[in-house]
Each structure stands twice: as structure tokens, then as C-alpha cells.
Amino acid sequence: ALQTLGKLEAPTLASHTAAILPLLADGDGDVRQAALQTLGKLEVPTLAPHVAAILLLLADGGLGVRQDVLQTLGKLEAPTLALHVAAILPLLAHEDRHVRQAVLETLGKLEAPTLAPHVAAILPLLADGEWGVRQAALQTLGKLEAPTLAPHVAAILLLLADGEWGVWQAVLETLGKLEAPTLALHVAAILPLLAHEDRHVRQAVLETLGKLEAPTLAPHVAAILPLLADGEWGVRQAVLQTLGKLEAPTLASHVAAILPLLADEDEDVSRAAMKMLRRSGWGGVLQMSWHARGLTMALAGYLLVGPFPAMGLGLGAHFGLSLLPTLSARKRRHDDESQQQSSHKRARVHAAGKWGSG
């Protein structure tokens, strides 16, 4: 019968909703799943009043049923969902973690002004025993406008001591939504995570610090610079992007630390280093002197080829001899790749001509 009903057009199916709803509690999992799938064919306004009944099935033992619940809820739009928040909120206290998490994710679809009055109901789940629920609570709070979120920073920061990296990442993403002046008040709590063993956390901390105003960021450069030698290229790139938020004179004073990354094994990092050096105004480069083991050379003439863009004719810099072999190898590799691409192109043209003449 459900399969037959599922073939009906949505307006016709709507008149049979009352007969379908009891089947969500049927003893047979296949029937429950079929009922969900049939309800999922309804138009959103018809489906919305039954969100609470659908959410309860997230405690169902069948994975397929839970997946269908989430797929059905995914159809709801924020304005429609807002009308039924009162029916959903009590499920934040449900014993099944799947239900609690899905309720939070559903609330996260609300517009910020509609979500704001329900913050008090969400905050206790930051201490939930299940990390997925804690993460979902953070992500839902992250949908709030910055002024509404700001008073709850202390509760959010406590989760920096959480045992799950996914929760730390959600904390940093949520903090990143704050206005720079508010975020500046909590830098001291964030900085220790620059030494975290997980690269995702280190990278997220750098991205969060990158949201600070330049004068607020400047005093913390000493804590950031060591990560230019991080073993993960994404972290090194994030360091450069964060340093890029500094004023040019401040950035120029750190050129000596940035310069070695021109020879980084990852070309995205080397390009980012070049961008930072350009932005610095080259003041630091022109003043830098490596007399003990360096030489003066015109970078523009040398680096016009390869992955580096032109830097202006006549620009000179003191450059470490230790970088030259790596840069030379990079240039040779670029030349080899260009030659290989040209060969492939000639082969394609020759093949096309051969087929055309046939």
C-alpha cells in the first residue's frame, strides 16, 4: 500500500498523511522506512508539522531508517522549520545521541534571529557525553550573529580542553565568526594550540589568528614563525597567509624567516612566500645581509622563469647560497615539464593530422 501511495502526486498524497503517520511506529523496520520515504514525497509545508514524529525515528535501530530521516529533514526550509521549533526542542534531551545530534543540526538550519532565543537550550549540550553532539552544538551556535555569540565565548573556550580534535576544530571555526575586537580578548587561550599534535588544529588556530587586526596580531608573530618549519605544507601555507595580515613594515622585518620558503618543496607554499615578500615591499630583503655565506644577485633576472612571477627589473637582494641548488633544481624541473608538454602537444598535432589525412 505504501509503495502505491508513494507513486501519487504530492497534493493527492497529502490527504493520506494521517494514515501513514502511525506506520512510523510499526514493528517492522521495512515498513517504518517505507513510511518515511513516502512522507518524504510530500511538499515541505505539508511535511513540516510532522518533524517531531520523524525525528524520533533517529533512535531507530536501522541505519537505513536514520538516513531516511536525515534526508527527509533536509527538505525543510528555514522559514517553515521555524514554525515547528517548539516541537523539536524537547528532543534535545532525548536519550539517543543520534536524536540529539540531528535536532541540533536541524536547529542549525534556522536563520540566526530565529535561533538566538533558543541558545539557552543548546548551551548545556556543549557538555554532552558524546563528542558528535558537542561538535553539533558548537556548529549550531556558530550560526548565530557575532554579537549574540560573543557572551558565550567562555563556555565555548572550555572545549579547547576537549579530547576530540573534531571538537577543537569546531571551537576554532565558531570563534572565527567573532568580530576581531572580541576575538582579540581570547588570543591567550588559543595560542597554546599552535603546538597541537594534530595538523588540522594547528592550521585552524592560524586561520583564526588571521582574523585579528594587524596591530593585535603583531605581538604574537614570535609564536607563529616556528610553524614556517612545520612538517605539513598546509600549516606552512596557513602561517604565510596569517603573516600576510600584518602591515608591510612589520612583515618586512620577518623576511629572513620567510625567504627560505621560496625553495619549499610545495609550490603553493613557495608561491605564498613570494606573495608575502612582494607585499613586504622588499624592505627587509634589501636590508638583509648574509655576508658569511651569501652573495648579492638580481632575483628578477633569475626568477622570471619557473613558478615565480616577475619581481621588477633591477631588484637586488642578499640571498642564501644554500637556496640556490634547490631553486636551480626547481627551474630545471619546470623546464623539463615544459619540454614534455611541448612534446605531447606536437604528438597530438601529428596524430590529428594523420587522422585528418586518412
Side-chain angles (χ1 to χ4, degrees):
L2 285 169
Q3 291 178 346
T4 302
L5 288 173
K7 294 177 181 179
L8 297 174
E9 295 293 328
T12 307
L13 178 61
S15 62
H16 301 286
T17 302
I20 299 170
L21 285 170
L23 297 175
L24 293 176
D26 193 273
D28 188 315
D30 291 338
V31 174
R32 297 194 299 275
Q33 188 169 9
L36 265 174
Q37 291 171 344
T38 302
L39 290 173
K41 305 289 181 67
L42 294 170
E43 297 290 341
V44 169
T46 309
L47 177 65
H50 309 295
V51 168
I54 293 169
L55 278 168
L56 284 172
L57 282 177
L58 285 167
D60 195 283
L63 178 61
V65 174
R66 293 199 296 266
Q67 288 176 332
D68 283 336
V69 170
L70 295 172
Q71 187 174 354
T72 302
L73 293 177
K75 295 182 62 176
L76 299 175
E77 297 174 358
T80 306
L81 184 60
L83 302 174
H84 307 283
V85 173
I88 299 171
L89 284 175
L91 292 176
L92 285 173
H94 197 277
E95 62 182 8
D96 189 281
R97 69 180 178 89
H98 298 98
V99 175
R100 299 195 301 277
Q101 188 170 337
V103 172
L104 288 164
E105 291 168 357
T106 303
L107 292 173
K109 295 181 179 181
L110 296 171
E111 299 293 337
T114 308
L115 177 63
H118 308 295
V119 171
I122 296 169
L123 285 172
L125 279 83
L126 292 176
D128 194 275
E130 295 287 342
W131 76 267
V133 176
R134 299 194 298 275
Q135 185 180 32
L138 283 165
Q139 291 169 338
T140 300
L141 291 173
K143 303 296 178 71
L144 296 168
E145 299 290 342
T148 308
L149 180 62
H152 308 294
V153 168
I156 293 170
L157 282 170
L158 287 174
L159 286 176
L160 287 173
D162 197 281
E164 294 288 338
W165 76 263
V167 176
W168 295 320
Q169 199 168 24
V171 169
L172 294 170
E173 288 172 358
T174 303
L175 292 176
K177 297 178 185 296
L178 297 173
E179 299 293 336
T182 305
L183 183 60
L185 301 174
H186 306 284
V187 172
I190 299 171
L191 283 175
L193 288 176
L194 285 172
H196 197 276
E197 62 183 7
D198 191 285
R199 68 180 177 87
H200 297 98
V201 176
R202 298 196 300 276
Q203 190 167 337
V205 174
L206 289 163
E207 291 168 357
T208 302
L209 293 174
K211 297 178 186 293
L212 296 171
E213 298 292 338
T216 309
L217 176 62
H220 306 294
V221 171
I224 296 170
L225 286 175
L227 278 82
L228 286 172
D230 194 277
E232 297 287 341
W233 73 267
V235 176
R236 298 194 298 276
Q237 186 176 32
V239 174
L240 290 166
Q241 290 169 340
T242 301
L243 293 175
K245 302 300 177 72
L246 297 169
E247 298 292 341
T250 307
L251 183 61
S253 66
H254 301 293
V255 165
I258 298 171
L259 195 56
L261 273 76
L262 287 175
D264 195 275
E265 61 184 12
D266 185 273
E267 290 193 2
D268 287 336
V269 175
S270 64
R271 286 192 184 98
M274 179 60 67
K275 183 178 180 181
M276 292 307 101
L277 291 172
R278 254 217 226 89
R279 191 178 175 284
S280 75
W282 296 94
V285 177
L286 293 171
Q287 295 170 14
M288 190 171 61
S289 180
W290 288 1
H291 294 302
R293 59 176 205 166
L295 56 82
T296 300
M297 62 179 292
L299 286 177
Y302 185 79
L303 298 175
L304 280 171
V305 294
F308 306 115
M311 297 181 294
L313 294 175
L315 182 63
H318 295 282
F319 204 86
L321 277 171
S322 60
L323 296 183
L324 296 181
T326 305
L327 288 169
S328 297
R330 190 181 283 277
K331 179 180 181 296
R332 285 195 301 271
R333 185 177 67 191
H334 175 78
D335 292 342
D336 290 344
E337 289 173 353
S338 298
Q339 186 175 4
Q340 188 176 20
Q341 289 171 1
S342 297
S343 298
H344 289 164
K345 184 176 180 180
R346 286 195 298 271
R348 286 196 300 270
V349 170
H350 177 72
K354 184 176 179 180
W355 282 106
S357 62

